[in-house]
Amino acid sequence: MSSHTVVNQDGQNVEPTIVSPPINIIVFGESGVGKSSVINMLTEEPVAAVSNQAVGCTYKSTKYRATIDDREVVLYDTAGLNEAEAGTVSPQRAIHNLRSLVDDLKTVNLLVYCIRGTRFREIVADNYNIFRKMICGREGGPRVPIVLVITGLENEDNMDDWWKDNEAYFDQYKLEFCEHVCITATRGRAFKDGSGYIFQDLYDISKKQVMQLLARNAFGSSIPIVPPKDNQTHMRGVSSLPSPCPIISLLRSCEERWNQFWE
């Protein structure tokens, strides 16, 4: 918190105004996994463009305001890192946009990692490591809490079963989360009689779960962002970074796997 001295019309000092840092929540994940749908769920209106394609809609980090547990938060929708050079956002541009966001924010309260509930792929670990490195680059520094939101589970008999079937992969790759929720971020198609949507009940349950997840994890201290020491200078693109940078190695691995996935 910071304070500003206030002087009244008579030139006398009055009680300073206490300025609290904003509650910043960064939403990240591959393109097409439902990041924007989750943001629309939280803002309760379609403010973020939604894409079901592998090539996403988000060109840069975009902020939206939402109310969680009667408190205002700022949500940042980030460009996916999986589009490769054929996508709307190259991996280099996605990293550049993330770095620009890091420079602008200074502090963050929570990272929300969105993935789709399909088979586990190593790119899930790559994206996690890239964001963790960019936000908490200094070893031993403050750790920003990360929660996991698994989307696309509307056709499952029990959405929570996905986690039971895949938890071992997250342990194997040492992906640590404060909490997770298994949800659907879509209402599905509308009934012809106009009475509602096919997945409306599941959507309402999911919305409540995500709201509660954020309420439990986003209102701690604002954590200063500490970029990695080998990525301190501003850049036009990732290519300007020193080659030993671990983010570059992760990014190249991420891009290679994504290219192989689409071959």
Side-chain angles (χ1 to χ4, degrees), residues 114-133:
C114 292
I115 67 171
R116 187 165 290 278
T118 57
R119 64 182 178 84
F120 185 93
R121 292 173 293 125
E122 289 188 33
I123 196 173
V124 170
D126 289 337
N127 279 340
Y128 174 96
N129 289 324
I130 288 171
F131 270 76
R132 182 135 221 175
K133 185 70 176 179

Side-chain angles (χ1 to χ4, degrees), residues 66 76 83 89 99 108 122 138 143 154 166 187 201 222 237 256-257:
Y76 291 87
E83 296 184 13
V89 184
R99 178 55 200 267
V108 65
E122 289 188 33
R138 186 178 64 194
R143 301 188 68 175
E154 54 271 4
N166 291 273
R187 294 181 174 87
D201 290 345
S222 294
E256 287 171 2
R257 291 196 183 101

Side-chain angles (χ1 to χ4, degrees), residues 23 42 44 66-73 211-212 214-216 219:
I23 299 170
L42 294 170
E44 301 185 322
T67 301
I68 308 293
D69 201 21
D70 296 325
R71 299 180 66 179
E72 185 178 75
V73 304
M211 288 280 192
Q212 291 174 342
L214 267 59
R216 288 192 297 268
F219 299 130

Side-chain angles (χ1 to χ4, degrees), residues 23-29 35-40 42-43 45-50 56-66 73-80 88-89 93-94 96-102 104-105 108 110 112 131:
I23 299 170
N24 295 323
I25 300 174
I26 299 177
V27 183
F28 71 102
K35 299 191 306 294
S36 297
S37 295
V38 169
I39 286 175
N40 289 337
L42 294 170
T43 59
E45 54 184 316
V47 294
V50 176
C57 295
T58 305
Y59 293 81
K60 60 183 179 180
S61 301
T62 309
K63 71 177 182 179
Y64 306 95
R65 297 189 182 277
V73 304
V74 185
L75 304 167
Y76 291 87
D77 188 4
T78 58
T88 58
V89 184
R93 174 55 58 183
H96 175 77
N97 291 341
L98 175 60
R99 178 55 200 267
S100 295
L101 175 63
V102 166
D104 291 341
L105 287 187
V108 65
L110 182 67
V112 179
F131 270 76

Side-chain angles (χ1 to χ4, degrees), residues 168-211:
Y169 293 110
F170 292 88
D171 291 338
Q172 177 183 342
Y173 286 91
K174 296 180 171 57
L175 308 185
E176 299 177 355
F177 300 96
C178 298
E179 291 187 66
H180 72 273
V181 289
C182 298
I183 69 162
T184 177
T186 178
R187 294 181 174 87
R189 62 177 175 83
F191 292 121
K192 292 181 179 180
D193 61 5
S195 60
Y197 297 86
I198 187 171
F199 299 129
Q200 185 67 55
D201 290 345
L202 288 176
Y203 180 89
D204 291 340
I205 292 171
S206 297
K207 178 180 175 180
K208 182 178 180 180
Q209 290 178 324
V210 176
M211 288 280 192

